[in-house]
Amino acid sequence: MPNLFFPRQSTRIAFRRFFSLAALAIGTSSFLASCSEDGTLPNPFTPDKVTVAQPGVFPEGVQYDELNQHFLVSSRRLGRIGAVEDDGTYTVFGDDSRLISTIGLNIDPVRHRLLAAVSDNGSNATRTSPATLNKLAALAIFNSNNGNLVSYVNLSALRPDQRHFANDIAVDIEGNAYVTDSFSPIIYKVDTQGNASIFLEDAQLGAATGFGLNGIVYHPDGYLIAAKTTEGVLFKIPINAPKNFTRVTSNQSVVGADGLLLLNAKTLLLVSGSQSTVLRLSSNDSWATANATGSFATGATSPTTITRRSISDAYVLYPYQSTATQFDIVKTKF
């Protein structure tokens, strides 16, 4: 779930400069003994772990809002969006009766938006209904500064006779949102005016049992990288020709793939819940292939997804189980 993208042609340079600065930091820090294997310097002023003693949240998605200096988390059991401070303080950030279960999140800082995937797999007993159970895919868009709900887009209306579970979101430099559906082999597209369409629909994206598509990120060279959970596959999907998607060949099993974070143009962090691991994958051929270059073990925490905080830090979400009295947001260390 990436969270730093820039709109329109005039800011493409800014986006590439962001990755150039990150690469420069990597090159410089590789000479320092305290850096991690990929050469990035950890920030000593950010916490190693944020523990949130808030029962019943059961979060799925997390994003760090650099502008407002807090984490934002979704909730499978309550539907609402929560804000989390570094000391673990949790407050309700945004809510609406249509938010049955919120899943993946994406911060769009340029447009001051928080985007949330909305689904219903029965986790929220107070809001589920026969009309929406395993049939809902929606995108909720909030003002990221005040939590006001700006827009709610019903994606499942595009394929009303299918099962649905909106899972994760990527945003391109034009502000278009791409939403994965884990129960139907679909990636939806929602433009900045709220117009929804089927971006890609293909049987290869689906799964006979379990989850199909899950995490998704936008690459500044004009394509998406999406994960298929049960089978353990990464797809590279060109924005301008989505039907020409290809599989990313890798020497690393990515079964259980959930959240993704494009750390820089050549480095992808992937959370595998079933492997209880955050995997670091690298590519030198524009993601035709990917090689494992590191891992971070999470333990039996049911990790779901990951977010960037500053250039160097990445935090993974530990939701534990649905009855847990707390959840953790933990800095990865490779």
Side-chain angles (χ1 to χ4, degrees):
M1 299 183 186
N3 59 357
L4 283 174
F5 294 104
F6 301 85
R8 303 194 181 278
Q9 186 69 31
S10 62
T11 54
R12 290 176 187 267
I13 296 173
F15 188 85
R16 294 184 181 277
R17 282 178 179 170
F18 169 79
F19 278 125
S20 297
L21 288 172
L24 178 60
I26 290 171
T28 302
S29 61
S30 63
F31 294 100
L32 303 178
S34 62
C35 62
S36 61
E37 288 184 11
D38 69 344
T40 56
L41 281 171
N43 185 342
F45 302 106
T46 54
D48 286 341
K49 180 170 72 171
V50 177
T51 295
V52 187
Q54 186 75 19
V57 176
F58 200 31
E60 172 77 16
V62 62
Q63 289 278 274
Y64 188 74
D65 185 345
E66 294 281 359
L67 296 178
N68 294 295
Q69 296 292 292
H70 56 206
F71 291 97
L72 294 166
V73 295
S74 62
S75 176
R76 281 177 275 184
R77 289 192 69 186
L78 304 174
R80 67 195 187 195
I81 306 298
V84 174
E85 308 300 329
D86 282 352
D87 64 0
T89 301
Y90 175 97
T91 56
V92 176
F93 178 76
D95 200 3
D96 186 90
S97 61
R98 292 170 291 182
L99 306 182
I100 299 176
S101 289
T102 47
I103 313 299
L105 302 178
N106 189 294
I107 281 280
D108 180 6
V110 174
R111 301 168 189 85
H112 302 285
R113 301 188 301 171
L114 171 70
L115 297 87
V118 183
S119 298
D120 179 12
N121 69 340
S123 295
N124 187 341
T126 64
R127 291 182 178 175
T128 186
S129 72
T132 57
L133 181 61
N134 295 325
K135 301 174 185 178
L136 177 64
L139 180 67
I141 303 174
F142 298 85
N143 182 309
S144 59
N145 293 323
N146 57 30
N148 290 338
L149 183 63
V150 177
S151 179
Y152 178 93
V153 184
N154 184 357
L155 303 170
S156 45
L158 295 169
R159 292 289 186 272
D161 298 323
Q162 297 178 195
R163 298 175 72 243
H164 295 289
F165 186 92
N167 197 316
D168 199 13
I169 309 157
V171 178
D172 68 20
I173 59 173
E174 302 294 336
N176 300 303
Y178 303 87
V179 184
T180 57
D181 192 324
S182 297
F183 289 170
S184 287
I186 296 172
I187 298 176
Y188 307 97
K189 179 179 178 179
V190 181
D191 66 20
T192 55
Q193 304 303 310
N195 300 307
S197 60
I198 302 292
F199 173 73
L200 177 62
E201 185 173 17
D202 191 287
Q204 295 181 63
L205 307 179
T209 60
F211 270 28
L213 289 175
N214 202 321
I216 189 169
V217 292
Y218 171 75
H219 193 287
D221 287 340
Y223 51 86
L224 303 169
I225 299 174
K228 185 177 176 181
T229 298
T230 304
E231 188 177 348
V233 175
L234 291 175
F235 294 107
K236 176 183 175 181
I237 307 164
I239 292 292
N240 293 330
K243 292 183 179 180
N244 295 334
F245 69 92
T246 56
R247 292 192 177 204
V248 178
T249 302
S250 178
N251 65 352
Q252 170 66 53
S253 169
V254 295
V255 169
D258 197 332
L260 306 178
L261 171 63
L262 193 66
L263 196 60
N264 58 57
K266 295 184 177 182
T267 307
L268 181 74
L269 301 185
L270 179 151
V271 179
S272 171
S274 63
Q275 298 184 51
S276 299
T277 302
V278 180
L279 300 168
R280 187 178 61 214
L281 304 175
S282 298
S283 178
N284 291 314
D285 57 8
S286 300
W287 297 99
T289 64
N291 297 311
T293 57
S295 64
F296 174 79
T298 66
T301 61
S302 305
T304 55
T305 193
I306 192 165
T307 185
R308 182 196 304 276
R309 177 171 179 169
S310 73
I311 289 178
S312 58
D313 292 334
Y315 283 78
V316 60
L317 177 63
Y318 295 178
Y320 302 105
Q321 302 302 316
S322 61
T323 56
T325 58
Q326 68 176 56
F327 62 92
D328 293 327
I329 305 171
V330 180
K331 185 190 295 187
T332 59
K333 296 180 180 180
F334 292 93

